[in-house]
Amino acid sequence: MAEIVLDKVTKRYPDGALAVQEVNLEIADGEFVILVGPSGCGKSTTLNMIAGLEDITEGELRIGGQRVNEKAPKDRDIAMVFQSYALYPHMTVKENMAFPLRLAKVDNATVEKKVADAAEILDLAQHLDRKPANLSGGQRQRVAMGRAIVRNPKAFLMDEPLSNLDAKLRVQMRTSVSRIQKQLGTTTVYVTHDQTEAMTLGDRVVVMRGGIVQQMGAPQFLYEHPANLFVAGFIGSPSMNFVPASLADNKLQSVLGEVTLTDRIRRLLEGADAPREVIVGIRPEHFEDASLVDATAKTDGGVFTSQVEVLESMGSDKFAHFLLSGEQATSADLADLAKDTGDDTSVGGISLVTRLSASSGAKEGEPSEIWFDADKVQLFDPSTGKNLTYTER
Amino acid sequence: MAGIGGADTTQKKVGWGLLNAVVVAYALFPVLWILSLSLKSSKTLADGNLIPREISFENYSNIFATTEFIRALANSIGIAIIATVVAVVFGTMAAYAIARLDFPGKNLLVGVSLLIAMFPQVSLVSPLFEIERGLGIFDTWPGLILPYITFALPLAIYTLSAFFREIPWELEKAAKMDGATPGQAFRRVIAPLAAPGVFTTAILVFIFCWNDFLFAISLTSTEQSRTVPAALSFFTGSSQFEDPAGSISAAAVVITIPIILFVLFFQRRIVAGLTSGAVKG
Ligand SMILES: Nc1ncnc2c1ncn2[C@@H]1O[C@H](COP(=O)(O)OP(=O)(O)O)[C@@H](O)[C@H]1O
Ligand SMILES: [Mg+2]
């Protein structure tokens, strides 16, 4: 077990593609770190460089304090779980899991014991003599995990290990991956493009975009304090609402009406050199049915009235969707996000997702008065994407 | 729609069955004819009956009574096996490199081997004859093995690289992560998965060497290295005035047997879908 340090690690493929740029990352011993970002952002490349499957173009990789740039994968003592599982089809489950131990020339009795232990943890004991072709997707996934854990490596690397499973199994396996990692306490780097996995699994999340680390931190921190539009829009489901707005005299003017900036936000903006035209980001849960908000809060926050386009009742709360007339917020960050979700259809207005209390009387197709918490808004610079209200606390 | 579809498939089945029967009969008729000829005695040889009036093994005992045929059979087996082994071993290495690695001159290598495979063999006969005489390997085993390898190797490279491309790249990465050296990854993961491809290639190459007549007749002059296809053309029958057709037929039947055995032996190893289950769920 060991810590992993990426020191200005850069990867340029032979064809000239710059896949990863100057990534700095310190992963503590036993930590569970998630690399997340849209497809093509360099997550797998980063992971493969840690594994030793790809050469590092520039920078240094240290495992347990030692430079390992030049070491072959087998000398790094790291195990990897592939998205495709990469099980050896000609070997039984048992032989698959025993393979790393056999290569390490571990004696027979120990192999038997370790494989049995791993099979126990992963609930594979009754499948040991079967071939991968005869297993279900979930079982194959567990065999791949088993092959990684049998030899107590210094670290686990996992490249989208759950993305080939169906939704229900994915949630189940997510829990067991987390449990196994806690149980073994092995340093783990986990790659995913699914922000829910990132939020629920890791101690720390690293958000990447176009080969560059956008932000890293605890999941909750990223959710509350995104460094830029990209992180703000990527983390959270349903995602943050973005509305173009203008700033003047400590007032914020947008299709959501005019609100006075709270003292907290004004202070944050002071050092930020904010432009006049900004993008306001508001999380769905910071909206509320105006009739459920008390009078003082109501005057402090923003209030607007619009027709409810779609209402989804989740039991515990309601999601009300609105379509406000006006120009959508535009920025390079948002364009990238839209490209990733494949959602590049212009809806001809500003779409808004709000989460209201279950007791809200909002009805589909009827106008509703909606309030939002002026202290919870985040302001972004449309040209740089930077969060103008970013704070460490 | 379903009813019509049902009738349709029955009709289709019958149609296909008939077509298959025709094709099989067309392909097998000459074989049957040879078999029938080989089982006839010299008196009934030319009677034109498909089914021999009396079964006689005279022709078989005749050909095995001479060293000519036995010697040729030994040459055929030895030469074909050596050429096959060499071509498959080197073909495997080359095909692996072509499927997996990017190295300078890769396209050139593929192009050249394609060129060799396409080259009309007959135009090589006289230069090879001269060269082999010069080198002193004319009418020897190496004199046939070498040209066979030349033509079998491109064939082997082609078939094998197609097989290698089918093996998921990630298996090799997984083996590396599991602590294997490149050699171990190849031996313990890639080679077992490539086995069906290797056996298929071995069959093709063996058949090519076994059936060759052109080189066999041009590059040999004595029993010392003459293979069966060449030796057949020298059959004269047991006496000068006898029609050798019976002996030739018997020999022809005998030399198809190793091919059939070879295919049956390796076919059991060509398990379709061996790589299934390697990746995805
Ligand atoms: N072998 C390669 N050669 C050239 N470019 C590559 C190669 N592998 C990946 N890339 C490029 O590098 C970028 C990052 O890829 P990757 O790390 O696979 O992304 P992710 O895993 O985040 O989806 C992509 O733009 C991709 O096209
Ligand atoms: Mg990837």
Side-chain angles (χ1 to χ4, degrees):
Chain A
M1 273 161 228
E3 80 274 2
I4 300 173
V5 178
L6 282 79
D7 188 357
K8 289 204 182 143
V9 167
T10 295
K11 174 70 189 185
R12 195 185 295 278
Y13 279 106
D15 64 359
L18 190 57
V20 173
Q21 272 182 64
E22 303 221 335
V23 169
N24 288 309
L25 183 58
E26 287 183 19
I27 303 164
D29 188 13
E31 197 179 11
F32 196 158
V33 167
I34 314 277
L35 297 182
V36 68
S39 128
C41 73
K43 308 176 299 281
S44 296
T45 305
T46 308
L47 202 69
N48 287 341
M49 284 192 289
I50 300 175
L53 295 171
E54 288 287 355
D55 290 332
I56 295 170
T57 314
E58 272 166 49
E60 191 171 81
L61 173 70
R62 291 188 291 273
I63 298 176
Q66 263 190 344
R67 177 186 162 98
V68 295
N69 286 38
E70 289 78 21
K71 281 200 176 169
K74 72 182 183 65
D75 302 321
R76 295 188 187 191
D77 191 18
I78 283 177
M80 186 152 170
V81 178
F82 293 84
Q83 177 176 3
S84 64
Y85 315 145
L87 302 180
Y88 310 122
H90 57 300
M91 300 183 192
T92 61
V93 168
K94 188 171 172 179
E95 287 162 350
N96 262 284
M97 296 210 282
F99 189 64
L101 300 173
R102 299 260 179 240
L103 287 173
K105 305 242 182 321
V106 175
D107 65 275
N108 248 329
T110 320
V111 171
E112 291 286 336
K113 188 181 168 336
K114 287 196 166 177
V115 169
D117 287 352
E120 185 69 31
I121 293 176
L122 291 160
D123 194 19
L124 282 170
Q126 68 274 42
H127 304 302
L128 283 177
D129 294 322
R130 298 171 73 186
K131 290 267 174 75
N134 305 326
L135 299 178
S136 71
Q139 290 164 342
R140 286 180 202 179
Q141 209 286 329
R142 296 208 297 272
V143 177
M145 295 279 299
R147 199 171 58 185
I149 67 176
V150 278
R151 69 191 164 107
N152 293 328
K154 282 187 188 149
F156 295 139
L157 307 180
M158 305 191 187
D159 193 348
E160 313 212 11
L162 307 183
S163 61
N164 281 333
L165 300 178
D166 60 53
K168 197 171 156 213
L169 211 51
R170 193 148 62 214
V171 175
Q172 260 175 33
M173 277 311 291
R174 201 163 74 199
T175 322
S176 37
V177 167
S178 181
R179 181 172 48 81
I180 290 166
Q181 200 274 341
K182 293 280 170 310
Q183 200 173 333
L184 301 172
T186 307
T187 315
T188 302
V189 185
Y190 184 107
V191 162
T192 177
H193 66 265
D194 177 1
Q195 68 89 26
T196 318
E197 255 172 49
M199 291 295 283
T200 49
L201 272 176
D203 299 330
R204 204 144 57 101
V205 175
V206 179
V207 183
M208 293 183 71
R209 168 193 175 205
I212 299 170
V213 171
Q214 301 290 302
Q215 192 178 4
M216 54 181 103
Q220 194 61 32
F221 180 82
L222 295 194
Y223 186 81
E224 285 166 7
H225 307 282
N228 57 36
L229 269 175
F230 183 81
V231 177
F234 192 80
I235 301 286
S237 174
S239 55
M240 193 184 257
N241 298 290
F242 297 108
V243 176
S246 48
L247 266 180
D249 306 333
N250 288 327
K251 287 196 189 327
L252 191 66
Q253 178 70 44
S254 73
V255 289
L256 304 180
E258 190 182 75
V259 283
T260 310
L261 297 177
T262 63
D263 290 346
R264 188 185 75 89
I265 292 182
R266 207 174 321 152
R267 270 197 307 278
L268 291 173
L269 280 180
E270 267 164 18
D273 188 22
R276 247 186 77 83
E277 299 299 323
V278 295
I279 293 175
V280 194
I282 312 174
R283 295 261 177 221
E285 63 270 29
H286 296 139
F287 290 91
E288 185 53 282
D289 189 327
S291 59
L292 301 175
V293 181
D294 63 55
T296 48
K298 193 169 169 179
T299 46
D300 287 348
V303 177
F304 67 96
T305 306
S306 178
Q307 184 173 313
V308 179
E309 196 86 356
V310 176
L311 187 78
E312 297 162 343
S313 183
M314 310 297 280
S316 55
D317 37 38
K318 288 177 176 169
F319 283 103
H321 297 247
F322 297 91
L323 189 62
L324 306 174
S325 58
E327 282 292 308
Q328 269 177 292
T330 49
S331 119
D333 292 40
L334 294 180
D336 264 14
L337 283 170
K339 203 163 58 191
D340 182 47
T341 52
D343 171 26
D344 45 8
T345 47
S346 177
V347 288
I350 301 166
S351 60
L352 215 58
V353 183
T354 65
R355 200 175 93 193
L356 313 177
S357 302
S359 54
S360 160
K363 285 197 180 59
E364 212 165 82
E366 284 178 21
S368 187
E369 196 184 23
I370 301 295
W371 168 89
F372 64 90
D373 188 342
D375 198 40
K376 293 286 167 49
V377 301
Q378 315 231 16
L379 302 181
F380 299 91
D381 183 336
S383 56
T384 61
K386 220 179 93 185
N387 185 350
L388 301 163
T389 48
Y390 178 76
T391 163
E392 298 279 323
R393 277 170 292 126
Chain B
M1 206 45 208
I4 299 169
D8 211 44
T9 48
T10 327
Q11 236 172 24
K12 255 188 196 161
K13 268 183 198 160
V14 172
W16 278 113
L18 277 176
L19 195 66
N20 281 342
V22 169
V23 170
V24 169
Y26 181 78
L28 285 187
F29 186 74
V31 180
L32 278 182
W33 191 255
I34 285 278
L35 189 66
S36 140
L37 276 183
S38 73
L39 291 173
K40 289 178 181 174
S41 62
S42 48
K43 281 156 282 168
T44 58
L45 197 59
D47 65 0
N49 269 7
L50 177 58
I51 300 168
R53 272 189 225 133
E54 48 172 332
I55 305 277
S56 125
F57 290 96
E58 183 186 321
N59 293 316
Y60 290 92
S61 49
N62 279 349
I63 55 169
F64 281 106
T66 60
T67 55
E68 192 187 7
F69 181 72
I70 295 173
R71 182 70 219 215
L73 204 56
N75 288 339
S76 264
I77 293 174
I79 288 171
I81 285 180
I82 293 173
T84 303
V85 168
V86 174
V88 168
V89 167
F90 285 98
T92 305
M93 295 181 192
Y96 181 72
I98 286 170
R100 284 285 191 261
L101 308 176
D102 257 323
F103 54 88
K106 172 169 149 177
N107 289 337
L108 189 73
L109 178 68
V110 176
V112 167
S113 61
L114 187 64
L115 200 71
I116 295 172
M118 299 283 169
F119 209 83
Q121 300 174 359
V122 70
S123 54
L124 281 182
V125 166
S126 4
L128 274 176
F129 179 78
E130 294 300 333
I131 293 170
E132 296 205 348
R133 296 253 293 207
L135 291 174
I137 54 170
F138 177 75
D139 196 26
T140 61
W141 277 24
L144 278 182
I145 291 173
L146 284 176
Y148 286 171
I149 291 174
T150 313
F151 283 95
L153 203 51
L155 178 71
I157 291 175
Y158 267 93
T159 10
L160 280 167
S161 57
F163 273 95
F164 277 124
R165 269 193 286 270
E166 296 250 308
I167 299 175
W169 209 174
E170 288 205 326
L171 290 183
E172 210 173 325
K173 292 190 191 172
K176 279 191 198 168
M177 293 309 299
D178 283 344
T181 61
Q184 283 171 323
F186 183 80
R187 274 202 315 279
R188 303 185 61 164
V189 175
I190 302 304
L193 295 177
V198 172
F199 292 130
T200 309
T201 310
I203 291 177
L204 290 175
V205 170
F206 185 84
I207 291 175
F208 163 76
C209 301
W210 187 256
N211 288 348
D212 172 74
F213 177 69
L214 183 66
F215 289 131
I217 196 82
S218 338
L219 301 177
T220 59
S221 59
T222 65
E223 270 182 31
Q224 180 189 198
S225 58
R226 200 175 278 149
T227 58
V228 178
L232 281 188
S233 64
F234 288 92
F235 271 18
T236 51
S238 33
S239 75
Q240 207 180 342
F241 308 102
E242 203 179 313
D243 184 357
S247 316
I248 291 179
S249 312
V253 171
V254 170
I255 62 166
T256 54
I257 292 171
I259 292 271
I260 292 171
L261 288 181
F262 200 80
V263 171
L264 286 182
F265 176 68
F266 281 129
Q267 199 188 28
R268 301 215 346 240
R269 278 144 217 261
I270 306 172
V271 187
L274 197 66
T275 55
S276 75
V279 297
K280 292 259 173 84

